[in-house]
PDB file of all heavy atoms in Angstrom:
ATOM      1  N   LEU A   8      18.471  -1.638   6.696  1.00 95.00           N
ATOM      2  CA  LEU A   8      17.737  -0.467   6.214  1.00 95.00           C
ATOM      3  C   LEU A   8      16.375  -0.867   5.659  1.00 95.00           C
ATOM      4  O   LEU A   8      15.349  -0.244   5.968  1.00 95.00           O
ATOM      5  CB  LEU A   8      18.560   0.266   5.148  1.00 95.00           C
ATOM      6  CG  LEU A   8      17.956   1.530   4.561  1.00 95.00           C
ATOM      7  CD1 LEU A   8      17.751   2.583   5.644  1.00 95.00           C
ATOM      8  CD2 LEU A   8      18.865   2.080   3.482  1.00 95.00           C
ATOM      9  N   LEU A   9      16.338  -1.923   4.853  1.00 97.00           N
ATOM     10  CA  LEU A   9      15.078  -2.383   4.269  1.00 97.00           C
ATOM     11  C   LEU A   9      14.140  -2.937   5.339  1.00 97.00           C
ATOM     12  O   LEU A   9      12.926  -2.697   5.282  1.00 97.00           O
ATOM     13  CB  LEU A   9      15.343  -3.428   3.187  1.00 97.00           C
ATOM     14  CG  LEU A   9      15.954  -2.876   1.900  1.00 97.00           C
ATOM     15  CD1 LEU A   9      16.483  -4.002   1.029  1.00 97.00           C
ATOM     16  CD2 LEU A   9      14.958  -2.015   1.139  1.00 97.00           C
ATOM     17  N   ASP A  10      14.679  -3.655   6.316  1.00 97.00           N
ATOM     18  CA  ASP A  10      13.842  -4.166   7.407  1.00 97.00           C
ATOM     19  C   ASP A  10      13.218  -3.019   8.205  1.00 97.00           C
ATOM     20  O   ASP A  10      12.038  -3.070   8.560  1.00 97.00           O
ATOM     21  CB  ASP A  10      14.649  -5.074   8.339  1.00 97.00           C
ATOM     22  CG  ASP A  10      14.922  -6.452   7.744  1.00 97.00           C
ATOM     23  OD1 ASP A  10      14.218  -6.858   6.791  1.00 97.00           O
ATOM     24  OD2 ASP A  10      15.846  -7.129   8.243  1.00 97.00           O
ATOM     25  N   GLU A  11      14.016  -1.990   8.469  1.00 97.00           N
ATOM     26  CA  GLU A  11      13.496  -0.823   9.190  1.00 97.00           C
ATOM     27  C   GLU A  11      12.420  -0.115   8.362  1.00 97.00           C
ATOM     28  O   GLU A  11      11.374   0.275   8.885  1.00 97.00           O
ATOM     29  CB  GLU A  11      14.628   0.142   9.513  1.00 97.00           C
ATOM     30  CG  GLU A  11      14.177   1.366  10.279  1.00 97.00           C
ATOM     31  CD  GLU A  11      15.314   2.327  10.583  1.00 97.00           C
ATOM     32  OE1 GLU A  11      16.479   1.902  10.604  1.00 97.00           O
ATOM     33  OE2 GLU A  11      15.017   3.518  10.797  1.00 97.00           O
ATOM     34  N   LEU A  12      12.685   0.038   7.077  1.00 97.00           N
ATOM     35  CA  LEU A  12      11.718   0.668   6.179  1.00 97.00           C
ATOM     36  C   LEU A  12      10.426  -0.147   6.115  1.00 97.00           C
ATOM     37  O   LEU A  12       9.326   0.401   6.117  1.00 97.00           O
ATOM     38  CB  LEU A  12      12.330   0.822   4.785  1.00 97.00           C
ATOM     39  CG  LEU A  12      11.559   1.600   3.748  1.00 97.00           C
ATOM     40  CD1 LEU A  12      11.208   3.002   4.238  1.00 97.00           C
ATOM     41  CD2 LEU A  12      12.367   1.680   2.462  1.00 97.00           C
ATOM     42  N   ARG A  13      10.559  -1.459   6.114  1.00 97.00           N
ATOM     43  CA  ARG A  13       9.381  -2.330   6.077  1.00 97.00           C
ATOM     44  C   ARG A  13       8.561  -2.166   7.358  1.00 97.00           C
ATOM     45  O   ARG A  13       7.332  -2.064   7.315  1.00 97.00           O
ATOM     46  CB  ARG A  13       9.808  -3.788   5.911  1.00 97.00           C
ATOM     47  CG  ARG A  13       8.640  -4.726   5.691  1.00 97.00           C
ATOM     48  CD  ARG A  13       9.118  -6.143   5.366  1.00 97.00           C
ATOM     49  NE  ARG A  13       8.043  -6.901   4.765  1.00 97.00           N
ATOM     50  CZ  ARG A  13       7.016  -7.393   5.439  1.00 97.00           C
ATOM     51  NH1 ARG A  13       6.923  -7.206   6.741  1.00 97.00           N
ATOM     52  NH2 ARG A  13       6.072  -8.080   4.815  1.00 97.00           N
ATOM     53  N   THR A  14       9.234  -2.129   8.495  1.00 98.00           N
ATOM     54  CA  THR A  14       8.540  -1.972   9.776  1.00 98.00           C
ATOM     55  C   THR A  14       7.796  -0.640   9.842  1.00 98.00           C
ATOM     56  O   THR A  14       6.623  -0.598  10.226  1.00 98.00           O
ATOM     57  CB  THR A  14       9.539  -2.092  10.944  1.00 98.00           C
ATOM     58  OG1 THR A  14      10.122  -3.396  10.902  1.00 98.00           O
ATOM     59  CG2 THR A  14       8.865  -1.878  12.284  1.00 98.00           C
ATOM     60  N   THR A  15       8.462   0.444   9.465  1.00 97.00           N
ATOM     61  CA  THR A  15       7.794   1.753   9.517  1.00 97.00           C
ATOM     62  C   THR A  15       6.648   1.827   8.514  1.00 97.00           C
ATOM     63  O   THR A  15       5.622   2.455   8.796  1.00 97.00           O
ATOM     64  CB  THR A  15       8.785   2.911   9.283  1.00 97.00           C
ATOM     65  OG1 THR A  15       9.418   2.757   8.018  1.00 97.00           O
ATOM     66  CG2 THR A  15       9.823   2.991  10.369  1.00 97.00           C
ATOM     67  N   THR A  16       6.803   1.175   7.374  1.00 97.00           N
ATOM     68  CA  THR A  16       5.730   1.175   6.369  1.00 97.00           C
ATOM     69  C   THR A  16       4.537   0.370   6.866  1.00 97.00           C
ATOM     70  O   THR A  16       3.383   0.787   6.688  1.00 97.00           O
ATOM     71  CB  THR A  16       6.244   0.637   5.025  1.00 97.00           C
ATOM     72  OG1 THR A  16       7.353   1.438   4.598  1.00 97.00           O
ATOM     73  CG2 THR A  16       5.161   0.693   3.961  1.00 97.00           C
ATOM     74  N   LEU A  17       4.793  -0.775   7.491  1.00 97.00           N
ATOM     75  CA  LEU A  17       3.697  -1.562   8.067  1.00 97.00           C
ATOM     76  C   LEU A  17       2.969  -0.781   9.155  1.00 97.00           C
ATOM     77  O   LEU A  17       1.734  -0.808   9.222  1.00 97.00           O
ATOM     78  CB  LEU A  17       4.237  -2.883   8.643  1.00 97.00           C
ATOM     79  CG  LEU A  17       4.521  -3.989   7.646  1.00 97.00           C
ATOM     80  CD1 LEU A  17       5.266  -5.128   8.325  1.00 97.00           C
ATOM     81  CD2 LEU A  17       3.229  -4.487   7.017  1.00 97.00           C
ATOM     82  N   ASP A  18       3.724  -0.078   9.998  1.00 97.00           N
ATOM     83  CA  ASP A  18       3.112   0.749  11.043  1.00 97.00           C
ATOM     84  C   ASP A  18       2.247   1.842  10.433  1.00 97.00           C
ATOM     85  O   ASP A  18       1.134   2.096  10.895  1.00 97.00           O
ATOM     86  CB  ASP A  18       4.184   1.373  11.945  1.00 97.00           C
ATOM     87  CG  ASP A  18       4.902   0.356  12.813  1.00 97.00           C
ATOM     88  OD1 ASP A  18       4.423  -0.799  12.925  1.00 97.00           O
ATOM     89  OD2 ASP A  18       5.964   0.710  13.367  1.00 97.00           O
ATOM     90  N   ARG A  19       2.766   2.483   9.398  1.00 96.00           N
ATOM     91  CA  ARG A  19       2.034   3.558   8.713  1.00 96.00           C
ATOM     92  C   ARG A  19       0.753   3.017   8.080  1.00 96.00           C
ATOM     93  O   ARG A  19      -0.309   3.624   8.186  1.00 96.00           O
ATOM     94  CB  ARG A  19       2.936   4.191   7.645  1.00 96.00           C
ATOM     95  CG  ARG A  19       2.268   5.207   6.774  1.00 96.00           C
ATOM     96  CD  ARG A  19       2.271   6.559   7.437  1.00 96.00           C
ATOM     97  NE  ARG A  19       1.809   7.562   6.498  1.00 96.00           N
ATOM     98  CZ  ARG A  19       0.869   8.439   6.797  1.00 96.00           C
ATOM     99  NH1 ARG A  19       0.354   8.480   7.992  1.00 96.00           N
ATOM    100  NH2 ARG A  19       0.469   9.309   5.906  1.00 96.00           N
TER     101      ARG A  19
END
Side-chain angles (χ1 to χ4, degrees):
L8 181 62
L9 288 166
D10 285 341
E11 181 181 337
L12 187 55
R13 187 173 198 285
T14 299
T15 58
T16 303
L17 281 170
D18 291 347
R19 174 84 171 130

